[in-house]
Amino acid sequence: MVIVTTIRRDVLTLPAAPLGPDNPLPPLRLLHEVHRIDVRERDDLPRDMARQAGYGQLGSLLPVRVRDGYGRERAPREFEAIVIENDRLRATVLPGLGGRVASLLHKATGRELLYRNPVFQPANFALNGAWFSGGIEWNIGATGHTTLSCAPLHAARVPAPDGGEMLRLWEWERLRDLPFQVDLWLPDGSDFLYVGVRVRNPHERPVPAYWWSNIAVPEGRRVLAPAEEAWQFGHEHHLRRVPVPPDPLDSPYAADYFYDLPDARRRWIAALDPDGHGLAQTSTDLLRGRKLFVWGTGGGGRRWQEWLTEPGTGGYCEIQAGLARTQLEHVRLDAESEMAWLEAYGPLSAPPVPAEAEARLAAVLPRAAVDAAYAAWRPYADTEPGETLAVGSGWGALEVLRAGWKLPGTPFDESTLGQAQAPWLELLRTGSFPEPRRVRPPGDTLGAPHWRYMLETAPATPLTEYHLGVAQWHAGDRAQAVRSWERGLELAPSRWPLLRCLAVADQETGNR
């Protein structure tokens, strides 16, 4: 068989606002109110949902930095892109922006299957600030848009199950300290983009896991899923079970609808235009949740739509797929284990009725075909990447060096270590955290227990006390954090980072 699928580098030019620098101050508090279910409401939920809604809730953004330096003035900017293409589909991926699939074009009909944002405009929606709308994003970490929304991922060519090539994206997710990978490929002649996802827990303890694939589609489409009821979460911040509304896009307010898919049903969701054409997403059964998000028809929702793109370009809504029924839940990933699944994205033409859309999906992509593609992909998940196409952060390399982990398929090479990791590498190798030769912001802080233990035994320099205090604060030992920051003040050549931490601590205890 002649393989005609290609993977190539490209450039996408957009009117873009500047992303700006990361905030040098440690995020001792969450930026946003995290959506949570009141304890009193959990008695009315299914037992597994209630348990997962109370598990692994995020208490801090540490060690991630806040991205709040973005602007509003747009100018043409080139973004590094990777294009995956066969004779049926063309997918455009942005490795420097969280691996976002910016476009999925069905070449046979000329239809764009996604909402393709004509601009790059960050806004304060990610857990750590800057986020932008459009395309398909890969949300890992905790409830909300991933901290990797505007961050680079590693990318490389990898052999695909059909003998062609895959694009592998991978990175180290820092909120949970978990490596993950996303493998994208287009079999020859396929109308569907296959996406294999794996999240690994190399630790000797269980870790809360979270994943939602977020797909932006144009407004005005009928959203279909194999469910008669949904869990609605809206501006009242209550989770309630409701019949699937005939047209949730008519909601005056922004709202989430988490479809309650029966356990035995195929996992899928679709968004079809008035003529019955659009996008379908389906997966293996592990990715059980499906969701619709709408901005609402009110003034606030319309204003956000305009702000995130350009007035007059049309709005969007989001269809999503996740590990749990709702985004308010986290699932347990056992020690030294992994979870993996396969997703498929492609065109669907059908009457806008769930039963008929499901029958049409079964005809163009049977459920058994998705399961077979997953089984074919699994042996390739460990295949070592070939040609490097993009480089992510050095945090994974630092963690692999520290623990000596072997992670086949997702190499975190020492060559990716950079300036941000340099002082931590010295702490790892010498037991001392280096003091800078000149006064400058204190840099990234690591808060995991193993790094905190190293800081506790390192010489007590001002910068070590600063980082130790942040790590202690992250661990919930706030009184000890204050003591560490106060000790650091005595000899610190630059006092403002320590004073700011102490000011936040005073505010948190009501001492203003």
Side-chain angles (χ1 to χ4, degrees):
M1 180 177 67
V2 177
I3 303 297
V4 297
T5 299
T6 61
I7 297 177
R8 57 182 170 85
R9 287 188 174 97
D10 204 349
V11 172
L12 179 64
T13 303
L14 295 174
L19 187 58
D22 286 357
N23 194 314
L25 303 173
L28 301 179
R29 294 177 286 204
L30 293 171
L31 296 189
H32 316 289
E33 175 198 2
V34 176
H35 290 170
R36 291 179 177 152
I37 302 172
D38 191 290
V39 174
R40 293 167 293 183
E41 295 185 10
R42 294 181 195 164
D43 291 341
D44 299 326
L45 301 178
R47 185 174 299 177
D48 62 333
M49 185 188 293
R51 182 181 66 253
Q52 291 178 167
Y55 172 61
Q57 295 295 332
L58 198 66
S60 167
L61 279 180
L62 293 166
V64 176
R65 305 283 285 276
V66 173
R67 296 208 137 119
D68 59 3
Y70 54 87
R72 300 188 179 196
E73 298 296 324
R74 300 174 191 158
R77 175 181 162 192
E78 292 185 346
F79 293 90
E80 178 184 6
I82 300 172
V83 175
I84 313 168
E85 187 169 12
N86 67 1
D87 59 333
R88 309 290 297 172
L89 285 175
R90 180 188 304 132
T92 303
V93 181
L94 304 178
L97 295 173
R100 185 78 60 100
V101 180
S103 169
L104 186 60
L105 179 71
H106 188 227
K107 296 163 65 175
T109 60
R111 295 191 187 103
E112 174 60 59
L113 301 180
L114 305 174
Y115 169 73
R116 182 171 183 170
N117 198 334
V119 305
F120 173 74
Q121 177 58 66
N124 185 22
F125 284 107
L127 285 166
N128 62 332
W131 173 87
F132 66 105
S133 65
I136 306 171
E137 61 176 310
W138 318 111
N139 288 301
I140 182 174
T143 299
H145 291 287
T146 176
T147 61
L148 296 167
S149 291
C150 294
L153 304 189
H154 301 282
R157 299 178 191 267
V158 185
D162 64 351
E165 288 185 317
M166 294 190 294
L167 171 64
R168 175 162 298 161
L169 306 168
W170 74 99
E171 194 36 288
W172 192 274
E173 199 287 309
R174 300 179 67 203
L175 290 180
R176 306 299 193 186
D177 268 340
L178 298 178
F180 72 98
Q181 70 189 76
V182 179
D183 290 351
L184 305 98
W185 78 102
L186 283 168
D188 183 23
S190 174
D191 276 315
F192 281 81
L193 173 69
Y194 287 153
V195 182
V197 183
R198 177 167 64 167
V199 181
R200 289 191 272 198
N201 176 13
H203 303 283
E204 296 178 347
R205 66 183 189 281
V207 176
Y210 175 93
W211 184 281
W212 281 81
S213 300
N214 185 356
I215 310 127
V217 294
E219 275 185 340
R221 298 194 174 188
R222 178 80 185 274
V223 175
L224 308 171
E228 296 181 356
E229 294 185 308
W231 296 92
Q232 186 207 31
F233 189 82
H235 67 287
E236 311 96 337
H237 288 187
H238 294 294
L239 190 67
R240 59 194 181 101
R241 196 168 186 158
V242 299
V244 171
D247 191 357
L249 297 178
D250 283 342
S251 168
Y253 304 107
D256 298 323
Y257 293 93
F258 300 100
Y259 295 99
D260 194 10
L261 277 61
D263 288 341
R265 294 293 295 274
R266 182 180 185 179
R267 314 303 193 203
W268 66 273
I269 191 167
L272 306 181
D273 66 20
D275 295 325
H277 305 300
L279 170 80
Q281 187 273 358
T282 187
S283 71
T284 47
D285 288 352
L286 184 66
L287 204 65
R288 68 173 300 180
R290 292 298 184 275
K291 174 197 166 182
L292 166 67
F293 167 76
V294 296
W295 277 109
T297 59
R302 305 323 301 171
R303 183 68 188 95
W304 271 117
Q305 293 267 32
E306 294 176 358
W307 161 241
L308 290 166
T309 178
E310 289 183 329
T313 57
Y316 73 96
C317 59
E318 296 169 358
I319 59 175
Q320 303 187 24
L323 285 172
R325 283 191 184 96
T326 74
Q327 288 176 328
L328 309 178
E329 304 167 68
H330 300 86
V331 301
R332 176 186 169 109
L333 182 54
D334 289 331
E336 299 177 336
S337 69
E338 65 183 44
M339 53 178 62
W341 62 91
L342 184 126
E343 305 179 46
Y345 296 81
L348 185 69
S349 294
V353 178
E356 297 195 44
E358 187 167 22
R360 182 58 185 159
L361 178 60
V364 297
L365 186 65
R367 186 177 189 176
V370 176
D371 293 337
Y374 171 74
W377 165 71
R378 284 296 281 139
Y380 288 80
D382 282 347
T383 302
E384 292 303 318
E387 178 193 1
T388 298
L389 298 173
V391 178
S393 79
W395 296 112
L398 182 67
E399 292 298 336
V400 168
L401 272 176
R402 180 197 62 80
W405 285 316
K406 303 298 182 186
L407 300 169
T410 54
F412 293 96
D413 193 84
E414 286 190 49
S415 63
T416 63
L417 291 167
Q419 182 178 349
Q421 294 82 38
W424 298 96
L425 184 61
E426 185 167 336
L427 174 65
L428 177 64
R429 289 176 169 168
T430 69
S432 298
F433 199 91
E435 285 287 324
R437 295 180 180 177
R438 58 184 178 84
V439 172
R440 61 186 182 189
D444 290 82
T445 292
L446 297 178
H450 42 266
W451 294 109
R452 188 173 77 249
Y453 300 153
M454 284 186 240
L455 289 168
E456 288 172 347
T457 58
T461 64
L463 189 55
T464 302
E465 295 285 13
Y466 163 82
H467 285 297
L468 175 58
V470 176
Q472 290 164 334
W473 181 275
H474 180 51
D477 191 352
R478 297 189 168 186
Q480 190 59 55
V482 168
R483 286 192 285 271
S484 295
W485 292 327
E486 288 175 341
R487 284 195 303 268
L489 275 176
E490 297 176 8
L491 297 175
S494 179
R495 295 163 58 88
W496 67 265
L498 293 153
L499 290 171
R500 183 261 178 179
C501 290
L502 289 167
V504 171
D506 274 350
Q507 282 190 329
E508 289 293 289
T509 56
N511 179 14
R512 297 179 179 276

